[in-house]
Amino acid sequence: MAQRRPPDLAHALERADAVHGLYYFLTHALFRLFEGTDPLVLLRLPAVLATAVTAGLLTLLGTRLADPRTGLLAGLAFAVLPPVQRYAQEGRSYALVCALVVWSSYLLIRAVDTRTARTTRAWAGYGTVLLTACLLHEFAVLVLAAHAVAVPREARRTWARTACVAVGALAPLAVLSTRQSAQVAWIGGLGTGALLGFAAVAIPGCAAAPFLPRPVVRLALPLAVLPAGLLMLVSLVKPLYVDRYVLYGHAGTALLIGAALDRLTRAGGTRRAAALLATAAAIVAVLPVTAQLRTPGSRVDDVTAIDAAVRTAGKGADAILYLPARRRVWSLADPSTVRGLRDLALDRTPAASGTLYGTEVSPSMILARLRTAHRIVVLRDPAGQPLDMTPGEVAKRRLLAERFEECGTRSVHGGRVSVYARRC
């Protein structure tokens, strides 16, 4: 998407992924500015830098809310949280959103404390950064629930006006993305893992709150709990909860950890030793997770392994078929993998059609093309995944089963690469 021309990108966003539009344009600008640089480096570098900036902002925020040691410990805690480490590596917008949310939280606290002629400017800065975070991903707007709790009574009217302006500016994008809600149809209901993860943050946070500095708790606990909790409540009606959508909530978790560690390490004797021992144990426990997060197995799929399997399976083949069509994305990063293989279902390419995965021809046209194919590489979801029941996908599977037989399948992380030959 980011490598498309801006007019083509804008055309595609009218149909899909409007929620990521600003991020695509920013990445497009980065690619143009550093043309010739390894695209994987350029794709991942903003997330790496954003995570480092977030850790620094948390240090400033913790210092303002409590003291320098709380801030430093909060920044260090944030950097080692496994979800943070994961999205620091990925070419996605979530680390950038996290940085902007923490920055807006810092500006909020500063605006509340400002009692000079610069008050208007301080609130404008808060609103601008908050809006930018929301434009990068709409669910950043849930941080307003945490900010509403953190704002003291005397500043709530000013905060409410600023928040309303930001929400109003976000509204057109929200309306457009609502029309594209079919894109999140893959999200299932709340799983046990999500509920346990939420409880693992909410319960200790609430239990520790009475013993931590009130200014820290007033911001950090709502930030850690409310965005995720609200998204979970919405998901009871319309499944929308994905942990990365509220990654910024971990900033609140880190602030709570920093304040707790500061309090415990200031204690004397046994309590201080116990705190240091628990911290060391937690770091040791995280190390295997940290190592695993830097392997392909930690991701949904391994496109490099899929490409290698396609190259092997493609020897002697003359066509390729994607089941379902969205698996065409596996071949977009390195088109040379499928060079020489005719895409039996493709009508218009993703760029030409202004879509994410391209458009496909009718089942009758697929049948006509199948008649001219002899050996087909088929890219499929992993075994056990629910089958897409759209008419086009059902027709592709039926025609393939009727006219071809499976010669072999190689399962790789996140997918299957099969070879089908014409029936005798």
Side-chain angles (χ1 to χ4, degrees):
M1 288 287 279
Q3 292 188 13
R4 298 183 188 183
R5 296 185 308 117
D8 294 337
L9 181 52
H11 176 59
L13 293 173
E14 294 174 4
R15 305 184 182 189
D17 259 9
V19 66
H20 297 303
L22 178 58
Y23 177 67
Y24 288 154
F25 277 111
L26 290 174
T27 310
H28 173 85
L30 194 64
F31 284 173
R32 290 294 301 272
L33 187 62
F34 296 99
E35 194 170 357
T37 305
D38 184 346
L40 286 179
V41 172
L42 289 180
L43 195 63
R44 291 177 171 176
L45 189 59
V48 176
L49 295 177
T51 303
V53 167
T54 306
L57 288 170
L58 275 173
T59 301
L60 293 176
L61 184 56
T63 299
R64 188 156 196 138
L65 293 172
D67 54 64
R69 189 156 70 163
T70 295
L72 178 60
L73 290 170
L76 292 173
F78 180 80
V80 299
L81 291 174
V84 172
Q85 291 193 44
R86 171 172 183 170
Y87 291 103
Q89 302 173 46
E90 296 205 353
R92 298 190 180 198
S93 64
Y94 305 110
L96 296 172
V97 172
C98 197
L100 289 168
V101 165
V102 174
W103 188 11
S104 73
S105 300
Y106 176 79
L107 291 175
L108 172 65
I109 301 303
R110 195 175 70 171
V112 167
D113 293 342
T114 300
R115 295 290 186 271
T116 68
R118 294 179 300 168
T119 301
T120 301
R121 190 187 310 170
W123 283 105
Y126 162 71
T128 300
V129 174
L130 176 67
L131 175 60
T132 306
C134 295
L135 292 175
L136 273 176
H137 198 277
E138 290 172 27
F139 287 156
V141 76
L142 294 173
V143 78
L144 286 174
H147 288 174
V149 176
V151 172
R153 182 175 300 176
E154 62 272 15
R156 283 179 185 168
R157 182 173 296 180
T158 305
W159 171 82
R161 286 198 298 264
T162 307
C164 286
V165 170
V167 171
L170 178 65
L173 176 62
V175 171
L176 177 58
S177 61
T178 300
R179 297 173 185 167
Q180 302 171 358
S181 60
Q183 282 193 264
V184 292
W186 58 270
I187 301 176
L190 293 174
T192 303
L195 294 172
L196 289 176
F198 179 74
V201 171
I203 294 174
C206 292
F211 307 100
L212 303 180
R214 182 173 176 79
V216 174
V217 172
R218 189 165 183 169
L219 174 64
L221 187 58
L223 183 56
V225 173
L226 287 182
L230 289 173
L231 193 55
M232 285 183 169
L233 287 176
V234 171
S235 295
L236 296 176
V237 179
K238 166 67 175 176
L240 288 173
Y241 181 80
V242 180
D243 59 352
R244 62 178 178 264
Y245 292 170
V246 286
L247 178 71
Y248 55 84
H250 290 291
T253 305
L255 280 170
L256 291 172
I257 292 172
L261 288 175
D262 178 57
R263 178 61 60 90
L264 290 171
T265 52
R266 289 183 189 276
T270 306
R271 290 176 62 186
R272 181 176 184 179
L276 294 173
L277 183 61
T279 302
I283 293 174
V284 170
V286 166
L287 288 178
V289 180
T290 296
Q292 196 267 344
L293 282 172
R294 285 157 175 77
T295 66
S298 68
R299 299 310 195 264
V300 174
D301 48 30
D302 182 355
V303 178
T304 303
I306 292 171
D307 281 353
V310 170
R311 289 183 189 277
T312 301
K315 296 175 181 176
D318 56 349
I320 190 167
L321 190 65
Y322 298 91
L323 297 174
R326 64 176 178 273
R327 292 307 169 207
R328 189 171 285 107
V329 73
W330 285 337
S331 303
L332 295 180
D334 185 8
S336 67
T337 303
V338 295
R339 188 168 294 139
L341 299 176
R342 185 162 47 109
D343 192 332
L344 294 174
L346 183 64
D347 180 20
R348 301 177 68 198
T349 65
S353 61
T355 62
L356 293 177
Y357 313 116
T359 55
E360 297 198 335
V361 298
S362 64
S364 60
M365 181 62 72
I366 295 175
L367 174 60
R369 293 178 178 181
L370 279 170
R371 288 174 178 154
T372 64
H374 298 278
R375 193 173 179 88
I376 304 173
V377 176
V378 179
L379 270 62
R380 298 184 287 173
D381 285 333
Q385 289 270 51
L387 297 174
D388 282 38
M389 299 309 294
T390 59
E393 297 302 332
V394 171
K396 284 192 289 184
R397 292 195 299 269
R398 177 176 55 81
L399 293 171
L400 189 66
E402 289 175 354
R403 298 182 175 270
F404 288 79
E405 60 183 353
E406 186 175 340
C407 300
T409 294
R410 179 179 173 184
S411 294
V412 293
H413 180 59
R416 288 178 292 168
V417 180
S418 302
V419 176
Y420 280 75
R422 179 184 292 279
R423 294 184 184 276
C424 298

